[in-house]
Amino acid sequence: MRANHNGGRPAPETGMLIGVPKEIKVLENRVGMTPASVRELVHHGHRAMVERNAGQGIGASDDDYARAGATIVPTAAEVFAKAEMIVKVKEPQASERRMLRPGQILFTYLHLAPDPEQTKDLVAGGAVCIAYETVTSSTGGLPLLAPMSEVAGRMAVQAGAYYLEKAHGGKGILLGGVPGVEPAKVVVLGGGVVGTHAITVALGMEADVWVIDRNVEALRRLWAQFGPALNTVFSTRDAIERHVEIADLVIGGVLIPGASAPKLVTHDMIRKMGAGSVVVDVAIDQGGCFETSKPTTHAEPVYTVDGVTHYCVANMPGGVPRTSTYALNNATLPFVLALADKGWKKALADDVHLRNGLNVALGKVTCRPVADVQGYRYVEATQVIA
């Protein structure tokens, strides 16, 4: 019960109770909601419960959340036990999945296609699981994935430049070269949000940048945006082989919404790259687009295959949590408010784009790519809502 100003008598609790646990994935310092977002929830008549030190990684103290109107609790268990909706950043880890309740709303990144164990647990748990990465927009984009794709695309070039240094196992190449010495060749696979931001940074560092994409309109857009400084190539097996094998840095930024990423770069191509070359697989959350990719962490971000450094951190934006969290909240807050104001059934019924985010609900798989790749019966989201 919450106190009011009517003679000190408690007022009945109203609105939805939203829970924000502290992220527990390795070196994941982002948080599901900022104090400013919590304040907006409270303004809408809802309540927020935040785990102690949840915002530490972005410089937000428990006092900041308390001033915004949140209740601070000592454990994630209390958050999961009481909240009607859980707002996170990364997919729930095994210990978190065990705490989810039937009918409880989970709003976070899920990336289920390459993660059958998570899917199994979410189906068994009966929660209503809405994935940021499959929420759509009226223009055909992925508005809740885009902010992190922007961050990851920019970080990919930073990471690549770092690991090209000899002290870090690289060829000893400066990305942009110097007068009289040629720059590094950077190949970007995919001209979407990740690719566009990777290109921006790589060209800013004066590298020799090539983008490969199968969408001619995307290549036209990039040509118009960056001009002849960017080399654009239509994607074929031959083109990928020719350019990857002589690249110093390859950045994988391809995406099929909700599905596993296509394996565009084979082990044989990796084998033919020069020792000390670097590949950065931004698509690793969806299984990766290099045949030799496997997920890594910020604690141990790289490994080598045939002398080629692989950077495959599955939560890249977690390395810059303050920037990432605020960018993510700018995009997610309107949807959090819709779910809280209307309840999940009406919010999803009213908004087809939010409805596209529903991946698992009440024991049913409602995302076709996940159902297809993992052998579940696909159920339309509208059937679950009804």
Side-chain angles (χ1 to χ4, degrees):
M1 305 291 278
R2 293 182 298 174
N4 64 12
H5 300 288
N6 184 19
R9 294 192 303 274
E13 293 178 341
T14 58
M16 184 180 284
L17 176 58
I18 291 88
V20 183
K22 183 176 174 63
E23 297 291 325
I24 60 173
K25 192 161 184 170
V26 178
L27 291 180
E28 177 54 74
N29 287 299
R30 289 173 290 180
V31 63
M33 300 194 76
T34 65
S37 294
V38 166
R39 186 178 177 187
E40 288 297 310
L41 275 177
V42 173
H43 179 72
H44 277 242
H46 305 294
R47 294 163 290 135
M49 177 178 287
V50 178
E51 184 182 355
R52 184 170 55 206
N53 295 327
Q56 195 171 44
I58 67 165
S61 69
D62 291 344
D63 286 344
D64 293 330
Y65 282 102
R67 281 192 293 270
T71 299
I72 308 302
V73 297
T75 66
E78 188 168 353
V79 173
F80 278 85
K82 295 181 178 179
E84 297 163 79
M85 174 164 61
I86 300 292
V87 178
K88 280 175 45 61
V89 179
K90 288 306 293 178
E91 71 279 359
Q93 304 301 291
S95 62
E96 295 174 313
R97 299 196 293 268
R98 287 192 290 271
M99 293 188 285
L100 287 167
R101 308 191 310 273
Q104 189 175 37
I105 305 166
L106 172 66
F107 195 30
T108 189
Y109 288 115
L110 292 176
H111 300 291
L112 290 177
D115 192 350
E117 283 301 311
Q118 185 192 175
T119 307
K120 178 183 175 183
D121 289 349
L122 295 181
V123 168
V128 176
C129 307
I130 304 168
Y132 293 159
E133 72 273 10
T134 59
V135 173
T136 55
S137 71
S138 58
T139 59
L142 301 170
L144 306 192
L145 187 62
M148 298 303 93
S149 296
E150 292 165 355
V151 171
R154 289 170 177 264
M155 287 185 72
V157 180
Q158 290 183 186
Y162 179 84
Y163 286 104
L164 278 174
E165 294 179 20
K166 193 68 175 178
H168 306 131
K171 290 180 174 180
I173 294 178
L174 182 66
L175 211 62
V178 293
V181 182
E182 63 187 17
K185 176 168 180 170
V186 177
V187 173
V188 179
L189 302 174
V193 178
V194 168
T196 300
H197 284 263
I199 290 164
T200 300
V201 174
L203 286 177
M205 297 177 75
E206 300 183 341
D208 176 25
V209 185
W210 298 70
V211 61
I212 301 177
D213 199 291
R214 65 182 182 180
N215 185 331
V216 176
E217 288 306 313
L219 295 177
R220 288 196 178 105
R221 173 181 57 79
L222 292 166
W223 176 268
Q225 181 173 348
F226 296 106
L230 174 66
N231 302 283
T232 56
V233 180
F234 182 75
S235 181
T236 62
R237 300 305 305 169
D238 181 73
I240 293 171
E241 285 179 4
R242 283 189 294 110
H243 290 283
V244 164
E245 289 172 7
I246 60 172
D248 300 301
L249 169 61
V250 181
I251 295 170
V254 295
L255 174 72
I256 300 174
S260 297
K263 302 294 185 187
L264 298 183
V265 176
T266 66
H267 192 168
D268 189 56
M269 294 180 208
I270 294 290
R271 194 178 291 116
K272 292 176 182 177
M273 293 178 71
S277 300
V278 178
V279 297
V280 178
D281 198 342
V282 183
I284 193 64
D285 277 324
Q286 293 293 128
C289 59
F290 299 87
E291 199 173 65
T292 47
S293 290
K294 60 183 181 181
T296 62
T297 67
H298 286 293
E300 297 182 34
V302 297
Y303 61 92
T304 60
V305 176
D306 295 320
V308 176
T309 298
H310 287 56
Y311 182 100
C312 303
V313 176
N315 59 328
M316 284 180 66
V320 286
R322 188 174 301 200
T323 298
S324 298
T325 296
Y326 282 94
L328 180 59
N329 270 234
N330 290 344
T332 57
L333 180 59
F335 295 101
V336 172
L337 289 172
L339 288 164
D341 289 346
K342 299 178 178 182
W344 72 271
K345 286 190 175 184
K346 181 165 175 49
L348 269 59
D350 288 352
D351 185 348
V352 63
H353 300 295
L354 181 56
R355 188 162 69 244
N356 289 336
L358 189 67
N359 278 214
V360 176
L362 309 180
K364 306 291 193 298
V365 176
T366 56
C367 178
R368 186 181 292 278
V370 174
D372 289 348
V373 76
Q374 295 184 16
Y376 288 92
R377 184 173 74 88
Y378 168 67
V379 178
E380 288 274 359
T382 50
Q383 294 181 33
V384 178
I385 294 167

